[in-house]
Each structure stands twice: as structure tokens, then as C-alpha cells.
Amino acid sequence: MFDILSFIVPIMFIVVFGIIIFSIIQGISTWHKNNNSPRLTVPAVVVAKRTDVSHHRHANAGDMSGAHGFYTTSSTTYYVTFQVESGDRMEFHVSGLEYGMLAEGDTGRLTFQGTRYLSFER
């Protein structure tokens, strides 16, 4: 039993560490690509809106055993899909304020840089 654990624990550590490093490199790569992309402004229509709500459970008083109970928080991520004149659709992550100001069917000028949403003017 001890021999199996002494083999599995380091492997799991390497896998978790590798996933973290991969995620960091992917984020930096996307950021760099967006910064090097041209800033474009095109006519567009808001065709869809969606949210992604995630719930997080936290232990009270930092006690992970749950002896003091738990409390739950939630966070919402907002997305808007735009359709441009060519018929292509693009979905962007937007702030809650932008999400609230946009309605399906709105027409205007979409400004974006790579996969980064910048603005929408009616």
C-alpha cells in the first residue's frame, strides 16, 4: 500500500501543477493575441443574451469540517451574442452594466479587439 501511495501522490502533484501552468500560459497567450489584434468597429445586431451563475460554498470561521456551518455566495458572468453584416455571430463576455443596457434586437456599431469586447453604440 505504501509503495502505491509514494508513486501516486507525486504523479497527482505533477498533473495538478501542469494544469495550473497550462491555464496560466493559455491566459497569457489569449491576452497577447488580443493586444496584437486590430481594433475593429462593425455594424452589428444584438441577437442573444445569456448568463452563467455559479454558486460557491464557504465554511464559516474557516472550519472546513462544517461544524460551524456553511454560507453560499454566487457570481454571475454575462454574455452577449452579436451578429455582423456577413452573418457571422460573435459572443463576448460583458460587464453587468453593459448587459443591462443591451436588449435583443438592438442595432449599432460593435467595437472589439480579438476576443475582447470594447463597446457597442446604438
Side-chain angles (χ1 to χ4, degrees), residues 40-109:
L40 300 174
T41 301
V42 297
V45 177
V46 176
V47 292
K49 294 169 56 174
R50 73 178 179 93
T51 60
D52 181 23
V53 179
S54 58
H55 302 281
H56 310 279
R57 194 170 135 169
H58 308 277
N60 287 332
D63 180 10
M64 295 310 291
S65 71
H68 297 288
F70 293 92
Y71 68 95
T72 303
T73 60
S74 61
S75 61
T76 305
T77 307
Y78 301 94
Y79 299 94
V80 177
T81 302
F82 298 91
Q83 183 169 323
V84 296
E85 288 180 329
S86 66
D88 291 333
R89 291 184 175 202
M90 295 178 283
E91 182 178 66
F92 293 99
H93 170 257
V94 299
S95 70
L97 180 62
E98 288 281 336
Y99 182 87
M101 297 295 287
L102 297 171
E104 290 184 18
D106 282 352
T107 60
R109 298 183 58 75

Side-chain angles (χ1 to χ4, degrees), residues 1-56:
M1 176 83 170
F2 179 74
D3 292 334
I4 294 173
L5 286 179
S6 65
F7 177 73
I8 291 177
V9 171
I11 296 296
M12 292 303 294
F13 176 77
I14 290 170
V15 168
V16 169
F17 186 73
I19 290 170
I20 292 169
I21 294 299
F22 176 77
S23 297
I24 290 170
I25 290 171
Q26 187 177 28
I28 291 171
S29 173
T30 300
W31 176 80
H32 182 70
K33 181 180 174 227
N34 283 340
N35 285 344
N36 290 325
S37 295
R39 182 178 285 211
L40 300 174
T41 301
V42 297
V45 177
V46 176
V47 292
K49 294 169 56 174
R50 73 178 179 93
T51 60
D52 181 23
V53 179
S54 58
H55 302 281
H56 310 279

